[in-house]
Amino acid sequence: MNQGRAPVRFQNVSRSFGSVVALDDFCLNIDAGEFITLLGPSGSGKTTALNILAGFDRATSGEVYIGERAVGALPPEKRNVGMVFQSFALFPHMSVFENVAFPLRMRRVPGPEIRQRVERTLEMVQLAGYGPRRPAALSGGQRQRVALARAVVAEPPVLLMDESLSALDLKLREELQEEIRRLHREFGTTVVFVTHDQGEALTLSDRIALMDAGTICQLDTPGALYDKPASRFVADFIGRTNIVPMDDGSHVSAVGLDAAPDKVVALSLRPEKLTRSPGPSDVRFDATVQDVAFRGATTELRLCLASGLLLRMSEPRSGALPLPARGETISAGFARQDATSLYE
Ligand SMILES: Nc1ncnc2c1ncn2[C@@H]1O[C@H](COP(=O)(O)OP(=O)(O)OP(=O)(O)O)[C@@H](O)[C@H]1O
Ligand SMILES: [Mg+2]
């Protein structure tokens, strides 16, 4: 099954629509077999990048390579790329079987082999036996699985998925995430996945390209993006965090730190790094509890510091100290190394 994988390269790709610059000198090297996610807010250029890679749109300038081959001038069907679209479209008049068989028929695969491969792929997405149904007789999640099966049935060396799971409820989304990870492992395909859901990106990806306004602002492993965000934008976008701005230094001293070096514009403090039982070498501060919120496995405390800075603190519910009352003053702290310096 593990027939092909291909590296992908965006080389200085720009795309403008009139005065809107959707992609701005976009550069990205994706290794063969890598699972990479384009993550970013709405309008940051994710779909544009995928469409240019798949051949549904053309770059204004720059080039895209699949393997060693420049593909900018090739039509989509010559690129050997599987794609699940943002607004995924099954052929409504065709059965599930025929929908999945479509890419194989386009490639003139012989009938008996088509049957075998379609059935195997439907099994893989847990839709064995659904072949004769029409898409209208499926749930949204099942349709999405059919779209996924259709994208992978021809075992393309590159698989593109645009917000393929966003419309689903959490449980189904998590199931399909598992499925996609398994497919990626089994096929060894290079995957370019697009989402604006950072949790999904963190779970699935080998690396994440965090995009803003048509460019990549940080390209890193999920762990590195989370622990070492390069900018305020990244810290805020990946996970939840507290931003402590430098300003006149009052907020920094309110959390118990000395002024940071010159170029640092803010500090990032993750809510789960704050604790009500700081160790002897931890940085300490006092705060007033503004609110206490139940969040399932964790409790979130909203704290107000002397400088007026608000901090969110998240603590596990098991083994926690008794909860403080609203308005109570508490002492809290964090390890010095957990305050991440942000330079822009
Ligand atoms: N066909 C088009 N004509 C004009 N502008 C376009 C076109 N396609 C995209 N754009 C613009 O290009 C920018 C990037 O759009 P794109 O669809 O790539 O964003 P995205 O990151 O996929 O966003 P979302 O998360 O909302 O799907 C946006 O400002 C969008 O309005
Ligand atoms: Mg999009």
Side-chain angles (χ1 to χ4, degrees), residues 17 20 22 41-48 86 163 196:
F17 298 97
V20 177
S42 185
S44 56
K46 307 179 297 292
T47 297
T48 304
Q86 184 161 14
E163 304 277 2
H196 59 250

Side-chain angles (χ1 to χ4, degrees), residues 15-18 20-23 38-51 57 86 162-163 194-196 211 213-214:
R15 174 65 165 114
S16 309
F17 298 97
V20 177
V21 182
L23 280 183
L38 307 183
L39 174 69
S42 185
S44 56
K46 307 179 297 292
T47 297
T48 304
L50 274 205
N51 282 340
D57 192 12
Q86 184 161 14
D162 193 356
E163 304 277 2
V194 163
T195 184
H196 59 250
M211 295 182 61

Side-chain angles (χ1 to χ4, degrees), residues 146-165:
V146 177
L148 187 59
R150 188 177 60 185
V152 301
V153 72
E155 296 174 22
V158 180
L159 177 62
L160 312 182
M161 284 187 273
D162 193 356
E163 304 277 2
S164 306
L165 310 179

Side-chain angles (χ1 to χ4, degrees), residues 154-193:
E155 296 174 22
V158 180
L159 177 62
L160 312 182
M161 284 187 273
D162 193 356
E163 304 277 2
S164 306
L165 310 179
S166 331
L168 305 175
D169 68 57
L170 181 65
K171 198 152 175 290
L172 190 53
R173 200 155 76 216
E174 285 177 349
E175 266 174 46
L176 278 182
Q177 285 173 1
E178 284 292 312
E179 205 123 300
I180 289 167
R181 275 156 70 99
R182 199 170 50 80
L183 286 171
H184 174 244
R185 275 197 306 268
E186 276 178 27
F187 284 96
T189 308
T190 307
V191 179
V192 189
F193 189 85

